Amino acid sequence: MLRPGRRLMFMGLVVAAVAWPLTFQGQGGVPPAAPAGPQSVEWRAYGAVEGSTRYSPLDQITRDNVGKLQVAWTWRFDNYGTATETLNTETTPIMVNGVLYFTAGPRRTVVAAHAGTGETLWTWRPNEGARFDQAARKVHRGVAYWTDGTDERIVVVTPGFQLVSLDAKTGAPVARFGQNGIVDLFTQLDNQGGLDPMGKIGNSSPPVISNDVVVIGPALTPGGRVNRANVKGDVMAFDVRTGKKLWTFHTIPRKGEPGHETWMNSSADYTGNAGVWGPFSADPQRGYVYLNIEAATNDAYGGHRQGNNLYSSSLVCLDIKTGKKIWHQQLVHHDIWDYDMPPHPILIDITVDGRRVPAVVQLTKQAFAYVFDRTNGNPVWPMPERPVPQTDLPGEWTSPTQPIPSKPPGFDRQGFTENDIIDFTPELRAEAKKLLEGIKLGPIYTPPTQVTPTSKGTLVMPGLGGGANWQSGAADPETGFVYVGSSTAPSVVGLTKNTDPATSRVDTDYTFGGNLPTVRGLRIFKPPYGRITAYDMNKGDIAWQIPNGDTPQNVKDNPALKGITIPKTGSASNAGLLVTKTLLVAGEGSGGAPIFHAYDKATGAEIFQMPMPGPQTSLPMTYMWEGRQYLIMGVRGAATTDQRAGYGAQLMAWALPPAPTNDGGRGGRGGAAPAGGRQGAAPQGLE
């Protein structure tokens, strides 16, 4: 609901008072340095800019003063859903004209809050009834902003798959957009199969707006246990002013379109998914949009869709005005590993052998960083097709080769051998080897295998949830460095003949499952369990690599490790990253410790850490408002226990202490006691 009144009037006055806000929309080049003096430096897109660098030129917070950060304000999600629903948030705010915009709760209530105090200015709550109840995806990561210099809009896709345009100043739906501010995306689908889209297709990441075009990335029912026929994840684009549909790109080609022949036995006609559920990026100068397209149904079995399956698991560049394909690169042929590329493409200019290259970097769940010239799709370094292991599963099909980049090297483990087995003690290693009996080990792209009395399946590394994920990475356009947080998370994938579709509720020939064993409560493989990697993309080399945080307490306290000195293991989760003029800022991710880290971005040395109320759940961002730099990060809430009441997730805002004023040194509102922390921690390398 819209909340009119004095807050809106106050917000309007604040916006009117902002002079010369500094923005850096665009990508590829170096954002302008922040001028001296009071000002506003904005964060107008989910990834800072349309090219998703997650970089800010701000340098008020530096390695020398980051230890003085204070909590400036917090914004809680407690009342935007049930107690369970509000424990987590993946939303990353944007900041424009002194106002933060973000989504709250599973219904995706849109919130506008004051950038300096966190005060709520307006909210808009969708009410979708059955569309919400049956929504394919309720998790969400934020909103998009557009202006022509006069009009200002906040654009969001609801859980029920409706595109909504709101007045950025008031939160009111824009009447001339669609029907009273709303476009029903179900009615815009090119749904030739005739499947009911309700509960099958939705959205989980912000739309991309560039060149006055809104592009929607669809998210479908997760592809592990769905029928061989499903709704297709076509990408659609709309006029930002009117909501009129401009084009549709068929991520699964229709009959007569190029690529249809890569789906054997006309399997393109019924196969679904191949959406863009993660965030994605645009090049406003060239008028291109870059789609990181997921796998097709099903995640671990593709016998019903034999062939290479364009454009599943592909990076595709389109003309944003027309939807015409400029180039594509399929990164996994016939994906049966769920390597569905949720990380947003990163657009950055690099210098390779003295030549300036406008590049796009696609980080992946298979732990490769693929680097292409973003104008034509040519690999910056050779990317030969190399032979890979082949399936022996009846009915399955595998590509004889996969594209393997020669540079840069992978940022996490790829494939699993006996050398990867835990070796803290000979006893633990022997137990681990025993537990792995009957599980097939092999290099990357080793196919899943059938479960039999003597076979438990295949150990897949990176696993279905390993490598990089929707958190993607960050890039420094001044140095050409690209940073990525990754999780070392192998999976056991075993396929079982589907003899009873009525019970399994799917009509595929095989269903999949499997459990990776642990050894006395420890992971069966050597640490680190998660890491942060810095690439020098000018050279295509790893500049440094560190564990993602310290060793978890349950590992430190494990009785099997008593008296043993173990290396820093890091958290088994994906760190969310932010790069500034002087720092790499990170949380450990939703599976990590509740710690805020500041690293030297050139070396990986830890400069400072401090505790947070909960683990990081959304990506960090930063901006300057009225001369003060703020760092924002979403953190998890806590469930109710016998000892204490629970509380929801929250956005944490940190800033340096305000400058002394004539009010006795209080320095204005929003200041809080220092959060406390540790400076000068020694850097930790990987062995």
Side-chain angles (χ1 to χ4, degrees):
M1 295 177 62
L2 183 63
R3 296 179 180 174
R6 295 177 64 186
R7 286 184 176 176
L8 291 178
M9 292 175 63
F10 173 67
M11 186 188 73
L13 290 172
V14 169
V15 171
V18 179
W20 305 298
L22 174 65
T23 64
F24 43 96
Q25 290 281 59
Q27 45 61 48
V30 179
Q39 55 171 355
S40 169
V41 179
E42 300 179 330
W43 185 282
R44 286 195 172 196
Y46 174 82
V49 292
E50 292 127 310
S52 301
T53 56
R54 302 199 49 74
Y55 170 82
S56 172
L58 289 171
D59 61 357
Q60 186 181 89
I61 298 170
T62 68
R63 62 179 298 129
D64 297 323
N65 61 24
V66 65
K68 298 178 182 179
L69 285 177
Q70 297 179 341
V71 177
W73 53 261
T74 64
W75 197 97
R76 287 195 172 184
F77 292 79
D78 295 63
N79 296 325
Y80 288 85
T82 67
T84 301
E85 290 171 337
T86 59
L87 286 175
N88 186 55
T89 180
E90 292 183 4
T91 190
T92 296
I94 58 175
M95 193 285 259
V96 183
N97 291 334
V99 181
L100 292 173
Y101 300 97
F102 53 93
T103 52
R107 294 186 186 276
R108 296 183 202 167
T109 297
V110 180
V111 180
H114 190 280
T117 66
E119 179 185 5
T120 301
L121 302 171
W122 57 254
T123 66
W124 179 84
R125 178 184 184 272
N127 185 8
E128 298 186 287
R131 291 179 76 129
F132 170 77
D133 296 337
Q134 299 178 41
R137 304 279 181 114
K138 292 180 180 176
V139 66
H140 201 245
R141 301 182 182 95
V143 301
Y145 171 83
W146 171 85
T147 184
D148 60 3
T150 303
D151 238 352
E152 291 185 90
R153 311 259 185 101
I154 297 298
V155 181
V156 68
V157 181
T158 68
F161 209 41
Q162 299 186 88
L163 178 63
V164 181
S165 182
L166 306 174
D167 185 302
K169 294 184 176 68
T170 67
V174 178
R176 59 187 178 277
F177 183 91
Q179 293 187 348
N180 297 317
I182 298 174
V183 175
D184 183 344
L185 295 175
F186 285 165
T187 67
Q188 304 299 311
L189 290 169
D190 187 1
N191 191 9
Q192 293 181 358
L195 293 173
D196 181 0
M198 182 81 80
K200 296 182 178 68
I201 188 168
N203 164 269
S204 57
S205 295
V208 165
I209 305 177
S210 184
N211 288 270
D212 298 335
V213 177
V214 183
V215 186
I216 308 300
L220 294 99
T221 307
R225 293 187 179 272
V226 297
N227 289 326
R228 64 182 69 192
N230 199 24
V231 175
K232 302 180 191 305
D234 294 339
V235 175
M236 299 182 288
F238 300 84
D239 184 282
V240 73
R241 291 181 174 85
T242 66
K244 179 183 177 182
K245 186 177 176 182
L246 299 177
W247 51 260
T248 297
F249 178 74
H250 294 150
T251 60
I252 298 177
R254 306 305 199 261
K255 190 172 295 184
E257 294 179 344
H260 187 270
E261 72 283 357
T262 66
W263 301 76
M264 296 169 63
N265 304 316
S266 297
S267 54
D269 297 346
Y270 55 78
T271 304
N273 286 64
V276 183
W277 68 263
F280 56 108
S281 306
D283 183 334
Q285 296 171 346
R286 293 177 174 86
Y288 293 167
V289 62
Y290 299 85
L291 308 177
N292 40 320
I293 300 171
E294 66 165 346
T297 51
N298 286 65
D299 285 346
Y301 176 71
H304 56 275
R305 52 169 173 86
Q306 296 184 9
N308 276 354
N309 305 151
L310 284 178
Y311 293 95
S312 72
S313 300
S314 298
L315 180 63
V316 178
C317 173
L318 305 179
D319 183 302
I320 199 168
K321 290 284 192 181
T322 66
K324 178 183 177 182
K325 181 169 71 77
I326 305 300
W327 59 263
H328 79 274
Q329 287 280 1
Q330 187 173 50
L331 305 186
V332 186
H333 308 318
H334 190 75
D335 191 348
I336 50 174
W337 300 272
D338 193 33
Y339 289 154
D340 54 0
M341 300 198 310
H344 54 67
I346 298 172
L347 278 55
I348 180 174
D349 289 356
I350 56 178
T351 301
V352 180
D353 297 329
R355 180 174 63 92
R356 197 68 171 163
V357 178
V360 54
V361 180
Q362 181 62 58
L363 305 169
T364 64
K365 289 169 71 173
Q366 61 266 38
F368 281 125
Y370 298 87
V371 188
F372 305 103
D373 184 317
R374 67 175 178 269
T375 67
N376 54 32
N378 293 333
V380 172
W381 293 280
M383 189 177 72
E385 292 278 341
R386 298 193 183 279
V388 292
Q390 295 297 288
T391 185
D392 58 5
L393 184 73
E396 182 59 280
W397 182 97
T398 42
S399 171
T401 63
Q402 295 288 352
I404 307 292
S406 57
K407 294 182 80 171
F411 54 81
D412 212 302
R413 289 203 187 102
Q414 297 168 317
F416 197 99
T417 69
E418 283 197 8
N419 189 52
D420 294 301
I421 298 173
I422 188 173
D423 63 354
F424 290 141
T425 68
E427 294 78 14
L428 285 171
R429 182 173 175 81
E431 288 181 40
K433 291 180 69 173
K434 184 72 175 176
L435 289 167
L436 287 171
E437 290 179 358
I439 298 175
K440 184 174 184 177
L441 310 182
I444 190 171
Y445 298 122
T446 298
T449 47
Q450 186 172 2
V451 175
T452 69
T454 58
S455 172
K456 302 175 186 176
T458 298
L459 198 161
V460 176
M461 174 83 99
L464 277 64
N469 212 287
W470 62 266
Q471 297 89 349
S472 191
D476 188 336
E478 297 189 45
T479 64
F481 271 45
V482 172
Y483 306 86
V484 55
S486 63
S487 174
T488 308
S491 307
V492 172
V493 183
L495 296 164
T496 303
K497 189 70 176 176
N498 186 12
T499 57
D500 188 0
T503 301
S504 67
R505 298 185 180 181
V506 294
D507 64 1
T508 52
D509 294 335
Y510 293 85
T511 60
F512 79 90
N515 294 300
L516 184 69
T518 58
V519 186
R520 302 194 208 178
L522 296 169
R523 289 175 172 83
I524 206 162
F525 55 93
K526 297 175 184 176
Y529 305 134
R531 52 192 91 197
I532 299 173
T533 302
Y535 285 111
D536 182 345
M537 280 300 177
N538 304 296
K539 300 176 181 178
D541 295 335
I542 292 177
W544 54 260
Q545 192 173 66
I546 59 173
N548 176 23
D550 201 350
T551 302
Q553 198 63 42
N554 65 326
V555 176
K556 291 180 180 180
D557 296 341
N558 190 292
L561 300 179
K562 188 175 181 179
I564 299 173
T565 300
I566 59 174
K568 198 173 185 179
T569 69
S571 293
S573 58
N574 296 80
L577 307 177
L578 161 71
V579 187
T580 71
K581 184 82 171 177
T582 59
L583 296 169
L584 177 69
V585 175
E588 294 183 19
S590 60
I595 302 291
F596 172 109
H597 297 273
Y599 296 104
D600 184 310
K601 65 181 185 179
T603 66
E606 185 163 37
I607 297 167
F608 173 71
Q609 65 171 240
M610 66 179 173
M612 302 189 295
Q616 173 193 41
T617 58
S618 70
L619 301 182
M621 54 87 72
T622 188
Y623 58 87
M624 183 173 283
W625 173 244
E626 294 187 336
R628 194 179 188 197
Q629 183 182 354
Y630 294 82
L631 288 170
I632 309 290
M633 190 185 301
V635 302
R636 183 186 298 151
T640 301
T641 68
D642 292 338
Q643 289 78 32
R644 66 180 186 183
Y647 54 89
Q650 54 190 314
L651 291 178
M652 301 289 299
W654 294 276
L656 296 174
T661 66
N662 58 7
D663 63 357
R666 292 187 296 275
R669 57 184 303 185
R678 181 166 64 91
Q679 283 190 280
Q684 296 288 330
L686 297 184
E687 298 181 359

